[in-house]
Amino acid sequence: MADTTEFMRRAIEISRREMLESGAAPFAAVIVKNGAIVGEGVNRVASRCDATAHGEVEAIRDAGRRLGSWDLSGCDLYTTCEPCEMCVAAMVWARVDRLYYANTLADCEAIGFDLAPLRAAVRADLPDRAMPATRLLAEEARAVLDLWTRQPGFTVFKG
């Protein structure tokens, strides 16, 4: 079984290689279960024109495909940088057990990343966010939620 530093070195290796070879941002992650890598990802936001294609999210997607499950209980995530709020949310939804990280968000801010708008948006109550939000067709949408709860095999996420 590999030790934790080997898994982090793999994430760093992927981030360096993909940055130099394909122009990816140097943020990569690996997901480990029972001592084996089951998912890898690198930040492909620009190349995929996908704002959600962060290294952690890509690794979660890869692990889900490989394991045949969205539930990554029993998995650890190794990432080259402390995850942003979006990636933390993805890790919670995927039920990742443990996080290991190298760089911090403060390190990213030191090289020019402006993370304040993201933090403000995520931490603010809906009416206090900078992006306007308007509720529409709440009753119709709620009816679908209620119908879902009556479907055979319905289960609700309990984090």
Side-chain angles (χ1 to χ4, degrees):
M1 179 186 294
D3 71 23
T4 56
T5 59
E6 289 180 49
F7 296 127
M8 185 61 76
R9 279 197 181 97
R10 175 65 182 158
I12 293 168
E13 172 191 326
I14 294 166
S15 74
R16 180 184 298 109
R17 183 190 71 221
E18 294 299 320
M19 178 190 65
L20 294 174
E21 293 179 6
S22 68
F27 304 105
V30 298
I31 296 182
V32 175
K33 185 169 188 172
N34 298 325
I37 293 175
V38 297
E40 295 183 337
V42 66
N43 185 302
R44 300 244 184 248
V45 169
S47 65
R48 293 201 175 140
C49 301
D50 178 354
T52 68
H54 289 200
E56 296 89 346
V57 173
E58 292 294 296
I60 289 168
R61 290 172 179 160
D62 187 39
R65 283 188 296 270
R66 290 190 200 188
L67 297 174
S69 176
W70 62 268
D71 186 346
L72 301 183
S73 296
C75 292
D76 298 334
L77 189 145
Y78 294 76
T79 181
T80 59
C81 189
E82 175 187 353
C84 72
E85 284 84 346
M86 177 186 72
C87 292
V88 169
M91 292 168 62
V92 169
W93 283 113
R95 297 182 175 166
V96 169
D97 282 2
R98 185 175 178 96
L99 167 69
Y100 296 91
Y101 65 97
N103 293 309
T104 66
L105 291 177
D107 294 330
C108 290
E109 289 173 325
I111 63 167
F113 277 68
D114 183 7
L115 300 171
L118 174 62
R119 284 190 189 121
V122 171
R123 295 176 183 176
D125 290 333
L126 191 61
D128 299 328
R129 294 180 186 162
M131 180 189 302
T134 304
R135 191 171 186 192
L136 297 172
L137 303 176
E139 290 179 26
E140 290 179 38
R142 179 54 195 247
V144 176
L145 281 180
D146 292 340
L147 178 61
W148 183 38
T149 65
R150 297 189 299 274
Q151 299 305 301
F154 167 78
T155 57
V156 67
F157 177 82
K158 294 182 180 179

